């Protein structure tokens, strides 16, 4: 699934990271998030739209509100990207160590 915006780019903003972290802890509505943050409801909505476009959150209707939660598939995609980076880094480290000249005894 290709996302409109990279999850990493979406999480680069501190407010969006805070919203995402709160949603990791528990699903919430826009108004619930806005009450806990120093930003307006419209600003929270905009941040949620970016997170949703990046595939990191999903929403579902609950009465007159929409409840947002972390999308496990989007989070798994971030994890997979990080795992690739980590694997490449560790392979490069292993190569560097194996090619290092041994220290004299």
């Amino acid at each position: 699934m290709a996302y409109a915006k990279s999850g990493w780019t979406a999480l680069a903003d501190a407010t969006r990271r805070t919203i995402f972290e709160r949603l990791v802890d528990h699903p919430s509505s826009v108004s619930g998030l806005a009450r806990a943050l120093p930003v307006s409801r419209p600003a929270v909505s905009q941040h949620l739209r970016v997170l949703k476009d990046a595939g990191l959150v999903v929403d579902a209707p609950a009465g007159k509100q929409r409840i947002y939660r972390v999308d496990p598939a989007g989070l798994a995609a971030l994890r997979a990207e990080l795992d690739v980076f980590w694997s490449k880094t560790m392979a490069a480290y292993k190569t560097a160590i194996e090619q290092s000249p041994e220290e004299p005894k």
Side-chain angles (χ1 to χ4, degrees), residues 59-75:
D59 61 324
K64 293 182 178 182
Q65 299 181 348
R66 298 198 71 74
I67 302 300
Y68 290 82
R69 64 177 176 79
V70 170
D71 183 349
L75 190 54

Side-chain angles (χ1 to χ4, degrees), residues 35-82:
R35 278 193 300 273
L37 298 169
V39 295
S40 67
R41 286 178 55 199
V44 170
S45 291
Q46 289 176 348
H47 286 298
L48 285 167
R49 187 174 316 118
V50 172
L51 291 168
K52 188 175 177 180
D53 288 348
L56 295 175
V57 301
V58 293
D59 61 324
K64 293 182 178 182
Q65 299 181 348
R66 298 198 71 74
I67 302 300
Y68 290 82
R69 64 177 176 79
V70 170
D71 183 349
L75 190 54
L78 278 182
R79 173 71 190 262
E81 289 177 22
L82 189 57

